[in-house]
Amino acid sequence: MTTYFSYPSESMQQELRRIANAIVMPGKGILAADESTGTMGKRLTAINLENTEENRRKYRQLLFTSDKELGNYISGVILFHETLYQKTDDGRPFVDLIKQMGIIPGIKVDKGVVPLMGSEGESTTQGLDDLSQRCAQYKKDGCDFAKWRCVLKIGKNTPSYQGMLENANVLARYASICQMNGLVPIVEPEVLMDGSHDLDRAQKVTETVLAFVYKALNDHHVFLEGTLLKPNMVLAGQECPTKYTPQQAAEATVLALSRTVPAAVPGICFLSGGQSEEEATVHLDAINKTTVGRKPWSLTFSYGRALQASAIKAWKGTDVKAGQAELMKRARANGMAALGKYAAGSCSGAAGEAGLFVKNHQY
Amino acid sequence: MTTYFSYPDEALQQELRRIANAITAKGKGILAADESVSTMGKRLADVGVENTEENRRKYRQLLFTSDKSVSEYISGVILFHETVYQKSDDGTPFVELIKQKGIIPGIKVDKGVVPLMGSEGESTTQGLDDLSQRCAQYKKDGCDFAKWRCVLKIGKNTPSYQGMLENANVLARYASICQMNGLVPIVEPEVLPDGEHDLDRAQKVTETVLAFVYKALNDHHVFLEGTLLKPNMVTAGQSCPKKYTPDEVAKATVVALSRTMPAAVPGVTFLSGGQSEEEASVHLDAINKCVVAKKPWALTFSYGRALQASVLRAWGGKDENVKGGQEELMKRAKANSQAAQGIYEWGSCKGFAGDTGLFIKDHAY
């Protein structure tokens, strides 16, 4: 009955474990550089650059021609499909540059959100069709992990049972297919920061969502030791009148995770959501410092905006060295935060304290 | 919608945490002395003693008049209803004797298993009616934790979805009601060792059962930091032709728990099932020595037969053998305390009952 099943073979288990553990090594985290074409367009527009394939290539070239030191803080980078097949000016494939820095390439495999009929504005994420063949190809082409983002929103009546059940299930299907093809699945059930709810509600929603996720992963016999979780930190809504300290956010986050994430999961790589670069670093540091609950998994970062805002701003399309310097600075800061050793305010970026919140964030 | 709920208030959270943490203090575990009247009858019959209330009282008196030093190894004792209200020869209530040693009294609150219609021999456990009032009374009468046993059996088609869903749900309802009344619920989803399945199947069943249990506890908003889990160790079936080493059992057990038990749960108090006293100690020790996965919770014992087999045999119902019986308890409690710290020397504790397996087919209370 439901208790007859197999886990991946021993050699597959070892491969998946190896990759997952390498990604969450102490002091390292992920650079999420998988912005879709449309989203990358918004980033480029903000610095008055046209959204062309060449500009996107040049920007990613800035990231991947960074000094080798970047590999001291960044263990993995998530790529968008196009980027995986792009090259430097002198013809070197990006994926090779990444690997030469000792960084593991990963790939975003979902195909965006679609609405759930009958729900109050809820969605699920599509991309399962032919996913197995796609994963097999990505593995051949040098990727070792994948990422799939689901989105849940806190409202008066949401997330609903339908929303949580469906998103948890699609994440489990994605994870299962990835593992079949030797890719470590990063499971991302993002609870958006949109709204005026307080920290307590954010915590309860996150706990409930994560309970659905881990039940679904168990139902689909996903090998937890070969997965990673990319959750939101537990934060009050953007419009919540009460402001909370990093310590309060850290406690709420760690409690929520300790109540739902099994110890077998090697690590948790937080998304930054709408936080500024400094907020994201300070929160990660507080999470690593807090003793409010047991933390048997690594607690690190998988940041997009919160690692790149200053880099893009300093680059402006022309100043590669300045952009790379900003990236290195912030990567170093987050590496320290992942060890609970960051001194708040010690890393000031070109993007300043600007919040990076985008309402109803889509890719 | 499903995301609106409250946890117990701050004071109650602290109370529940305090109790759960005290029970799983380093080097300590639980003496499960909650045998029902009929089960106690079997134990007494084994050593030639009649099953009268007086004999049951005398036997429990042996346990609770043990030297105070037993509390170095025993943090809590689970009692049967009758025992909560019994007294020693000099009129001291047992609950008092227990508390004077610094041991926490607990109470078995379920009312036994009943069959699930349509299933292949599966059961659920009853006892929810008026449970809240009963818990409130037990709390007044000195108990700080409770225990409820569900039973699942590995067969060709079992545990079924119905069986796992129902038992997980009833455990969550019980846990919720306990917490409302200040009792820490020990959650016991026992997967029986009956059968010829191998270690791998036992592990998969245990993982699946525990996933159902923790989803149900989340659905019912149970405060995990104020609960304990009393699971089976992952062992092959009693009739499995293949034999496994303690290290293999330990690894299967720890991996199963690491895949299902949230870190917020303070500790695991294993049941001994049909294991002999020495097997139960050795397995617990191997579990604590095992490094195959992260173990953020205490891993200790809640043993009935595996703590009392030698005690009963040494006592045999005779007053002049009470000291002998108490010595057996002290010996085995100390061995399990060491096992709970991964420092037990296998074979170093020799009990009166020898290595006799304590397996009872289809064990019911």
Side-chain angles (χ1 to χ4, degrees):
Chain A
M1 217 242 101
T2 46
T3 52
Y4 287 98
F5 63 90
S6 303
Y7 279 118
S9 69
E10 191 53 49
S11 60
M12 180 62 91
Q13 286 192 24
Q14 282 191 38
E15 168 78 346
L16 295 169
R17 261 188 219 268
R18 177 188 69 72
I19 298 164
N21 290 339
I23 292 172
V24 295
M25 283 200 51
K28 297 194 185 189
I30 296 172
L31 165 60
D34 61 319
E35 296 85 355
S36 64
T37 306
T39 301
M40 204 57 225
K42 293 182 203 161
R43 307 274 179 268
L44 294 172
T45 305
I47 52 166
N48 295 317
L49 275 186
E50 213 191 323
N51 186 15
T52 61
E53 200 203 323
E54 179 60 7
N55 281 341
R56 296 195 296 274
R57 187 193 69 80
K58 283 177 107 161
Y59 172 62
R60 268 68 183 257
Q61 176 172 261
L62 178 161
L63 300 177
F64 307 141
T65 53
S66 286
D67 185 83
K68 211 172 178 332
E69 185 197 343
L70 190 65
N72 291 347
Y73 320 117
I74 302 295
S75 52
V77 61
I78 318 177
L79 304 170
F80 181 62
H81 176 87
E82 167 190 82
T83 318
L84 181 57
Y85 303 103
Q86 284 177 329
K87 303 178 161 97
T88 59
D89 295 338
D90 59 3
R92 288 174 295 156
F94 283 166
V95 76
D96 289 348
L97 288 184
I98 291 166
K99 287 178 154 185
Q100 277 156 31
M101 282 193 279
I103 298 177
I104 304 173
I107 177 75
K108 185 238 298 287
V109 297
D110 71 77
K111 295 189 168 180
V113 298
V114 293
L116 285 174
M117 180 190 81
S119 73
E120 294 191 352
E122 292 183 289
S123 67
T124 183
T125 299
Q126 58 180 12
L128 292 181
D129 299 351
D130 293 332
L131 182 59
S132 192
Q133 290 92 304
R134 296 172 55 222
C135 285
Q137 190 62 50
Y138 287 134
K139 180 77 173 177
K140 279 210 196 85
D141 295 337
C143 297
D144 271 340
F145 69 97
K147 171 256 191 160
W148 174 295
R149 176 176 179 256
C150 274
V151 180
L152 298 113
K153 197 162 158 189
I154 300 181
K156 185 158 161 298
N157 302 317
T158 59
S160 68
Y161 178 77
Q162 173 198 21
M164 290 187 285
L165 190 75
E166 164 56 25
N167 282 285
N169 190 62
V170 78
L171 280 166
R173 283 293 300 126
Y174 141 78
S176 166
I177 292 169
C178 280
Q179 292 194 331
M180 272 169 62
N181 291 284
L183 296 179
V184 163
I186 296 191
V187 173
E188 182 178 353
E190 174 171 8
V191 178
L192 292 176
M193 279 173 68
D194 301 52
S196 49
H197 52 273
D198 63 13
L199 188 67
D200 184 69
R201 179 140 169 74
Q203 183 182 332
K204 286 168 176 165
V205 170
T206 301
E207 286 180 16
T208 310
V209 166
L210 290 177
F212 270 89
V213 168
Y214 283 98
K215 182 60 166 73
L217 292 176
N218 182 278
D219 288 340
H220 287 269
H221 314 310
V222 174
F223 176 61
L224 290 187
E225 293 87 338
T227 64
L228 295 169
L229 182 70
K230 179 165 169 168
N232 50 285
M233 295 179 185
V234 175
L235 304 167
Q238 281 288 133
E239 286 138 39
C240 179
T242 310
K243 295 303 164 201
Y244 297 88
T245 64
Q247 286 67 36
Q248 287 173 308
E251 284 184 13
T253 302
V254 169
L255 276 181
L257 297 169
S258 76
R259 289 172 182 170
T260 52
V261 182
V265 177
I268 293 173
C269 316
F270 293 100
L271 59 92
S272 45
Q275 302 178 64
S276 71
E277 290 178 322
E278 183 65 4
E279 272 177 324
T281 304
V282 164
H283 278 139
L284 180 64
D285 182 74
I287 282 167
N288 277 283
K289 284 182 161 115
T290 185
T291 52
V292 78
R294 300 217 189 87
K295 307 181 289 184
W297 351 258
S298 288
L299 292 155
T300 183
F301 57 93
S302 173
Y303 290 168
R305 285 167 276 171
L307 263 172
Q308 299 178 74
S310 292
I312 294 180
K313 201 157 177 206
W315 173 52
K316 295 198 281 292
T318 52
D319 197 342
V320 170
K321 285 257 165 277
Q324 289 177 333
E326 287 295 324
L327 175 67
M328 192 69 74
K329 255 190 345 190
R330 191 45 68 179
R332 195 181 294 126
N334 285 311
M336 296 289 276
L339 297 169
K341 294 185 172 159
Y342 178 66
S346 59
C347 175
S348 15
E353 299 303 299
L356 300 163
F357 177 66
V358 173
K359 200 154 155 34
N360 257 339
H361 179 73
Q362 309 278 336
Y363 271 111
Chain B
M1 216 243 101
T2 45
T3 52
Y4 287 100
F5 62 90
S6 303
Y7 279 120
D9 68 42
E10 194 53 49
L12 185 52
Q13 285 193 25
Q14 283 192 39
E15 168 78 347
L16 295 170
R17 264 189 217 266
R18 177 190 67 74
I19 298 164
N21 291 339
I23 292 173
T24 51
K26 193 170 160 165
K28 299 195 188 191
I30 296 173
L31 165 61
D34 59 319
E35 295 86 356
S36 64
V37 170
S38 52
T39 301
M40 202 59 226
K42 293 181 203 156
R43 305 278 178 269
L44 295 173
D46 271 348
V47 295
V49 176
E50 207 193 332
N51 187 15
T52 63
E53 204 205 319
E54 177 60 7
N55 282 340
R56 294 193 299 274
R57 186 193 70 81
K58 284 177 108 161
Y59 173 62
R60 268 69 182 257
Q61 176 171 260
L62 180 161
L63 299 176
F64 309 141
T65 52
S66 289
D67 184 81
K68 196 179 182 347
S69 60
V70 78
S71 64
E72 287 168 33
Y73 318 123
I74 303 292
S75 52
V77 60
I78 318 178
L79 304 169
F80 181 63
H81 176 84
E82 164 190 84
T83 318
V84 175
Y85 303 103
Q86 286 177 328
K87 304 177 162 102
S88 60
D89 294 338
D90 66 6
T92 316
F94 281 165
V95 160
E96 279 308 307
L97 286 182
I98 290 166
K99 286 177 142 184
Q100 276 162 22
K101 293 190 218 307
I103 298 176
I104 305 173
I107 176 75
K108 184 239 295 288
V109 296
D110 72 77
K111 294 189 170 181
V113 299
V114 291
L116 285 174
M117 180 189 83
S119 74
E120 296 191 350
E122 293 183 287
S123 67
T124 183
T125 299
Q126 60 180 13
L128 292 181
D129 299 350
D130 292 332
L131 182 59
S132 192
Q133 290 94 304
R134 296 172 55 221
C135 284
Q137 189 62 51
Y138 287 131
K139 181 78 173 177
K140 278 210 197 85
D141 296 338
C143 298
D144 269 341
F145 70 98
K147 172 256 192 159
W148 174 295
R149 177 174 178 258
C150 274
V151 179
L152 298 113
K153 197 162 157 187
I154 300 182
K156 187 161 161 298
N157 301 316
T158 60
S160 68
Y161 177 78
Q162 173 198 22
M164 291 186 285
L165 190 76
E166 164 55 26
N167 282 284
N169 191 63
V170 80
L171 278 166
R173 284 292 301 127
Y174 141 78
S176 166
I177 292 169
C178 279
Q179 291 195 331
M180 273 170 62
N181 291 284
L183 295 179
V184 163
I186 295 190
V187 173
E188 182 177 353
E190 174 171 7
V191 178
L192 292 176
D194 302 46
E196 15 173 73
H197 51 275
D198 62 14
L199 189 66
D200 184 68
R201 179 140 168 76
Q203 183 181 334
K204 285 169 177 163
V205 170
T206 302
E207 286 180 15
T208 310
V209 166
L210 291 179
F212 270 91
V213 168
Y214 281 99
K215 181 59 167 73
L217 292 178
N218 182 279
D219 288 339
H220 287 269
H221 316 311
V222 174
F223 176 61
L224 291 186
E225 292 87 336
T227 63
L228 294 169
L229 183 72
K230 179 165 170 167
N232 49 288
M233 295 179 185
V234 175
T235 56
Q238 283 287 132
S239 326
C240 179
K242 187 163 179 216
K243 297 300 165 203
Y244 297 87
T245 64
D247 290 330
E248 286 172 309
V249 166
K251 186 174 168 184
T253 303
V254 170
V255 169
L257 293 170
S258 78
R259 291 174 177 167
T260 51
M261 241 186 73
V265 181
V268 173
T269 53
F270 290 100
L271 59 93
S272 45
Q275 303 178 60
S276 71
E277 291 177 321
E278 183 64 8
E279 270 177 324
S281 298
V282 164
H283 280 140
L284 181 62
D285 182 77
I287 282 166
N288 277 280
K289 284 182 161 113
C290 179
V291 294
V292 76
K294 299 250 177 60
K295 305 180 293 182
W297 351 258
L299 292 156
T300 183
F301 58 92
S302 174
Y303 291 168
R305 285 166 276 172
L307 262 172
Q308 299 178 72
S310 293
V311 175
L312 282 158
R313 218 155 265 294
W315 172 58
K318 303 190 169 67
D319 290 348
E320 61 269 27
N321 290 342
V322 166
K323 281 256 164 285
Q326 290 175 335
E327 273 163 25
E328 289 296 319
L329 176 65
M330 195 70 74
K331 256 189 344 192
R332 187 50 68 180
K334 183 172 179 181
N336 285 314
S337 162
Q338 292 172 339
Q341 301 174 73
I343 56 175
Y344 175 61
E345 211 187 297
W346 301 1
S348 60
C349 175
K350 296 192 193 324
F352 213 86
D355 288 324
T356 331
L358 300 164
F359 176 65
I360 292 167
K361 201 157 152 29
D362 259 334
H363 180 74
Y365 272 111

